[in-house]
Amino acid sequence: MVISKAQAQCPYCGVGCGLELLAPKVGSISPQWSVRGDRSHPSSLGQVCIKGATVAATLDQNRLTQPLWRAQLDQPLQAISWEQAFELLVQRIKVVLEKWGADGLAVYGSGQFLTEDYYLAQKLFKGYLGCNHFDANSRLCMSSAVAGYSRSLGSDGPPCCYNDLDHANLVLLIGTNTADCHPVLWQRLLKRKRRDPDGLKIVVVDPRCTATAIAADLHLAIKPGSDLALLHGIAHILVQKDWLDKGFIELATEGYSEFSKHLPPWTPQRVADLCGICEADLGKLAELWGTSAAVLSAWSMGVNQSVDGSATVSAIVNLHLLTGQIGRLGAGPFSLTGQPNAMGGREAGGLSHLLPGYRAVSNEQDRASLERHWGLTSGAISAQPGRHVWQQVEAMERGELGLWWVAATNPLVSLPSLDRVRAALRNCDFVVLSEAYGGTETAEFAHLILPAAQWSEKEGVMTNSERRLTLCQAFRQPPGQAMADWLIFAELGKRLGFTAAFSYANSSEVFDEFAAITAGRLCDLSGITHGLLAEFGPQQWPFPLGTAPGGGLERLYADGKFATATGKARLLWDTPFGLGEPPCNSYPLILTVGRYLGHWHTLTRTGLVPRLMQQHPEALLELNPKDAEQAGVADGSWVQVSSRRGQITVKVQITAGIRPGTVFLPLHWGAAQPNPCEANRLMHELACPHSKQPELKAAAVKILALN
């Protein structure tokens, strides 16, 4: 069947914009599909950013087309057949299980997976192999949001939707450069601001004066690591001024009495000093929050990637609970997801402590439920949460992993302390990489490379930040022998002897099995099928069986009932840790990292598009003029940036847009790029104790001018 037009969700950020893909016209010189925004998609309404608009240019370039193998890393990779690749996998898994048991296996997946890919990986490894050591790059991205929502509200799941941007009177953007990282949402917010300048105030909390901050009514350029103190200070003022919804606190929350006992020391003056801002700005933000009819907060990596990450998420939720700003139009705490299907991965259990359907590995009833669904004997699923990604690295260091499987991600750029990661991988005898593109930094350490079909070449579902599922249609053939990840897991399951459990005619059957498992859960999508999405378009969950198209809930918790044992949300107090690695005399600056507008994580895709590379041709170190003068550094000069873990060389961009004492690098350029700048080589692995998410937003560094 010839396809002339297809619909899909954009494979970049978590906004989840709808795309229309148009086949090349007959006789066209260019064989490339064209891309435009899908005006029928309710999340993006036809809007698309520069990355989404150019994504078709990445589909055919630098693709892997056949399995590759080498027994030792110092040997060249050789082409092999899929038959040989599966024989190697089966043989190695059996050897590992015999020598180490299930603890000798580990998988590191990705928010680039479709939900079907995620689900079958959980079924195979956590179910049939008894190995909970499946983690994903959402650990680096959204795990603090998962933990924060769960601690405060009883379950993961953003309670808001994008329509709330059109109705909020105050939007607090904390730890998010929305203009660069979620640009279509940002444009929607700006349109609202132009349409109703008096009805909307935008406040940005960020050490950098980004494009987001420039457009804000108020910008608080706080010190890195002081977000939690700031939020405690706002709570202090709300209570002091009696800007509270006491009826909501009484009926829908618990813990207020204990919570309020901790507030008195967090005075405006103390908090302003800790944050490095003026007391008047803190008071203005608190007043806006306490007196606005509808308050929406949104955050991303700047909150999540912190040793205080989960606590900061709970502190944001606290402010909404104190003022009743949740579960209603224009209000609520909104985690902006980083990866395109990180939400789908959370639904499918794609972190090492989770199981499909918002279930927990540690919960006996949850394990038993999945064992029944999967036809397993009681106790087949281990009660021990699996190793998160950094624990997987540590296990390789100790020689305790016999197989590490990386899929659809590039951890040799995105993980912290990269020199340590490289050394750990050299200590693992069998590293598997499922990847669509050749020559990534991680491929240097792989023994077996499997060519993966990507989103344009396989049909499946993604879920965006507002809990909306989109069917991504396959509109082209995979190159060469490339295979969909779900098919790889299914075929491996059959070859390991689990034929009946992993025999599927297509990805639609996989999704149907997963959707049934979510019935009765908060993330109930049991009424959704590929067919329904194809006919009626994207749908929001919860969407139980029998729901009419378009009948999913825009907002959670509108009835004031939460997913806790008591039905009440929890007001939680956490004492701030501050920075995991504060500055000192030897390393006096704090390095923070982030994205450029035109690039995606590790340049695997966007580095192939000349238009995007021309927009952002190189990494630049943003440096405040005061710090530049002290270091004797000129604009455009080269410096050496060093931390306790390593050093890199980079060109300087002097700007007053970053606060003194803080420097910024983009995270995109790894060692395989012509102009490498391994920002994460400098970052430490200290993590939030609840979410285990590394503090990738702050590390102590020093700079040295190079002549």
Side-chain angles (χ1 to χ4, degrees), residues 556-620:
L556 303 179
Y557 311 125
D559 59 357
K561 302 296 183 182
F562 294 88
T564 61
T566 62
K568 294 187 175 185
R570 307 179 184 110
L571 286 158
L572 298 175
W573 181 267
D574 294 279
T575 300
F577 287 124
L579 290 174
E581 186 178 74
C584 61
N585 290 336
S586 299
Y587 297 95
L589 302 172
I590 290 298
L591 169 65
T592 188
V593 301
R595 292 186 200 157
Y596 283 160
L597 171 63
H599 283 311
W600 179 245
H601 290 174
T602 70
L603 297 184
T604 308
R605 276 200 186 103
T606 59
L608 303 173
V609 183
R611 180 180 172 189
L612 300 180
M613 289 305 296
Q614 290 167 7
Q615 183 176 1
H616 303 289
E618 61 184 339
L620 298 173

Side-chain angles (χ1 to χ4, degrees), residues 227-236 263 266 271 315 573-576:
D227 307 70
L228 185 52
L230 176 79
L231 297 164
H232 287 342
I234 297 170
H236 175 105
L263 287 175
W266 295 87
V271 169
W573 181 267
D574 294 279
T575 300

Side-chain angles (χ1 to χ4, degrees), residues 90-121:
V90 170
Q91 181 184 35
R92 185 60 181 179
I93 288 172
K94 289 180 177 178
V95 168
V96 170
L97 291 175
E98 183 176 346
K99 182 177 179 179
W100 286 283
D103 279 348
L105 304 171
V107 184
Y108 184 51
S110 167
Q112 294 286 319
F113 272 173
L114 300 180
T115 298
E116 295 80 355
D117 303 324
Y118 260 123
Y119 171 69
L120 279 196

